[in-house]
Amino acid sequence: MPEPLTKRQKQIFNYLTHSIQQEGYPPSIREIGEALGIKSPRGVVGHLEALEKKGYLSRERGARTIKIKSSLGGRFPNRPQKQAGRFGENVPVLGAIAAGSPILAEENLEDHLLVDERFASGKNIFALKVKGESMLGAGILPGDYVLVRQQLKVENGEIAAVLLDDEATVKRVHCSKTTLRLVSENPAMAPIEVRENEKRVQILGKIVGVMRKL
Amino acid sequence: MPEPLTKRQKQIFNYLTHSIQQEGYPPSIREIGEALGIKSPRGVVGHLEALEKKGYLSRERGARTIKIKSSLGGRFPNRPQKQAGRFGENVPVLGAIAAGSPILAEENLEDHLLVDERFASGKNIFALKVKGESMLGAGILPGDYVLVRQQLKVENGEIAAVLLDDEATVKRVHCSKTTLRLVSENPAMAPIEVRENEKRVQILGKIVGVMRKL
DNA sequence: TTGACAAGTATACATTTGTATGGTATTCTT
DNA sequence: AAGAATACCATACAAATGTATACTTGTCAA
């Protein structure tokens, strides 16, 4: 049962785990201070002592020797190579999706995106670059990357990536007993209705995130 | 095709990977020397330089900043999420921004987000969680994180994070010679006009990215 | 009201750590 | 034979880094 942390202590701990994951080695006292806006080394040391006392980390003498305790449910160890993907996921970006082939096949792969774990939780996440303006009303613009969790079915009304006539698109899906209605969040575009067993459509997965670069 | 190592270089490299894995952080020059029976720091540095030249590792300035290259068949990475030279940035997430205080001050800091370097290029990037619906028309919804590059002025018509009456908001900024017009991308909300030297407004930076979790 | 704790600033100091200088050998290739 | 790379030593030095002292502020419980 881990001792509770204060809000500030949580921030420090959060930064530590992320930084170690990202760089491969722990930050120095002053680097921690710089990242969190603490101007005196002593201020940072106070937090480290508190975190150590509460059992969240340990320190050796010497520079950059913070160790995150792995006993905390094994959630925040600093053995980066054994905990790959706990703090960031390298998500594949798919280009044109060849019909029939497995979605994550090599020929579909275009790039990789580094995404915070909280945005790409779970396995089988991939990304698509949005082309049309069909989801304008849902705040999804052309050029955006959508993060997709691979699944065969989605709940009524959820936004999904759908393979429609060999073209990957993003649509809101309304399912009735026998049909799927693919609705564009754009008044200029009419809904598309198809029977569920038709081969024209295939649900690729649920949209779990959107990323835009301006 | 990794360049071949000498026997001694292999020993060094081996020790490095094992030590990083065991301790959680890289050894210092002298610790390497102690472990391998090299009595002069210079002796160790020579090996590190050779290993770096041959592409097995990289180093930053500062103590204990050796990074094993993960491109070598991915066998000994010490930062798993970065593949093939692709990097991520650890971006601070700001909460309520206290007026007057430096933007990145402690009281504003809420969390950290790991973001692909292509979304957070350059320095002084921070993130804000969007609260209102004022930028609906620009595809920015409440709950989204906007990535902000800190800068004092923005070009005409760009979307910016603005501190308005102690409240951080996202607005499209139109500048004339003497006034700033802050336009919401939402027909329900009227534009706000202020004189540039008024203290009510302060431009925090330009929006360079949007991230949404669904 | 006192006392503990959290959270910090400013400054000084000691240690750790990386870097640089100037050598010595050995092995290998040209 | 000359040059380059490997593989070291001893020592000095500077920069990075952790540590320590002293003081401030606010909160919260006894």
Side-chain angles (χ1 to χ4, degrees), chain A residues 6 8-9 30 37-43 47 54 62-63:
Chain A
T6 68
R8 194 63 170 152
Q9 284 165 0
R30 281 167 185 82
I38 301 171
K39 282 164 194 165
S40 170
R42 192 60 191 78
H47 288 297
K54 291 185 179 178

Side-chain angles (χ1 to χ4, degrees), chain A residues 16 26-27 32 48 57-59 64-68 78, chain B residues 25:
Chain A
L16 282 178
I32 299 170
L48 294 183
L57 52 81
S58 64
R59 297 159 73 206
R64 301 177 190 268
T65 55
I66 292 169
K67 292 180 189 179
I68 302 297
N78 58 349
Chain B
Y25 48 80

Side-chain angles (χ1 to χ4, degrees), chain A residues 81-131:
Chain A
Q81 48 283 80
K82 293 199 167 175
Q83 247 57 36
R86 240 175 222 294
F87 301 94
E89 291 285 344
N90 221 339
V91 173
V93 179
L94 306 190
I97 295 177
S101 71
I103 305 168
L104 293 175
E106 222 179 304
E107 68 260 33
N108 302 333
L109 220 151
E110 226 175 47
D111 198 357
H112 281 266
L113 263 184
L114 185 60
V115 178
D116 193 287
E117 58 158 358
R118 285 164 289 182
F119 280 73
S121 51
K123 262 282 174 187
N124 295 324
I125 305 271
F126 62 90
L128 286 176
K129 195 161 188 177
V130 175
K131 275 178 193 137

Side-chain angles (χ1 to χ4, degrees), chain A residues 109-162:
Chain A
L109 220 151
E110 226 175 47
D111 198 357
H112 281 266
L113 263 184
L114 185 60
V115 178
D116 193 287
E117 58 158 358
R118 285 164 289 182
F119 280 73
S121 51
K123 262 282 174 187
N124 295 324
I125 305 271
F126 62 90
L128 286 176
K129 195 161 188 177
V130 175
K131 275 178 193 137
E133 301 196 332
S134 66
M135 293 308 282
L136 228 67
I140 300 176
L141 313 185
D144 288 5
Y145 291 91
V146 287
L147 300 175
V148 186
R149 188 196 307 135
Q150 234 186 114
Q151 49 191 60
L152 296 172
K153 291 187 177 179
V154 293
E155 300 288 308
N156 198 339
E158 283 185 335
I159 300 178
V162 181

